[in-house]
Amino acid sequence: MTSDGRIPEVDPAALDAVIAADGRGVIIDFWGTWCQPCRTLRPHLERLAADHGTDWRFVAVHVEKHPELVDRFSITTTPTLVYLRGGDEVHRTEGASPPSAIEQVMVALA
């Protein structure tokens, strides 16, 4: 998350750097500008990122700009949240999930 509360967009190199460097868990938001549920979810993710920043770092991947990451993570729908710990996927949330359900997963995996 940036200092102004936005979730930063990452490319493959930046994503690998975040995963390698951060001791927190990483949540990747796979989204698209055409995806209404993605746009609806974003402010909630920004709030969750602010509330849980000590345990989780959020980054975003635009699926049309980075198809190599879509393939790497086997993304089949948007939005998809991929939760990583130590570089390994520990959970995945596909489709429009309520923010409370996302937060429950974050707390359980923290």
Side-chain angles (χ1 to χ4, degrees):
M1 185 178 75
T2 62
S3 60
D4 61 1
R6 290 180 295 152
I7 296 171
E9 290 283 328
V10 294
D11 60 22
L15 178 59
D16 289 340
V18 167
I19 292 169
D22 208 315
R24 298 175 284 176
V26 176
I27 298 176
I28 310 167
D29 173 24
F30 286 90
W31 74 289
T33 53
W34 42 266
C35 171
Q36 182 58 44
C38 299
R39 293 185 307 206
T40 301
L41 185 60
R42 182 56 62 94
H44 299 290
L45 295 179
E46 291 171 349
R47 180 190 58 79
L48 291 170
D51 291 350
H52 298 276
T54 57
D55 294 317
W56 294 99
R57 179 170 179 185
F58 279 77
V59 295
V61 172
H62 191 290
V63 295
E64 291 176 336
K65 292 180 183 176
H66 300 292
E68 65 277 26
L69 289 174
V70 170
D71 290 342
R72 176 175 159 190
F73 286 92
S74 301
I75 302 303
T76 59
T77 189
T78 57
T80 293
L81 301 178
V82 176
Y83 304 68
L84 304 174
R85 281 275 182 207
D88 296 323
E89 183 173 335
V90 293
H91 190 76
R92 179 177 292 229
T93 303
E94 295 178 327
S97 296
S100 59
I102 296 167
E103 187 168 32
Q104 284 178 337
V105 171
M106 292 172 63
V107 169
L109 295 172

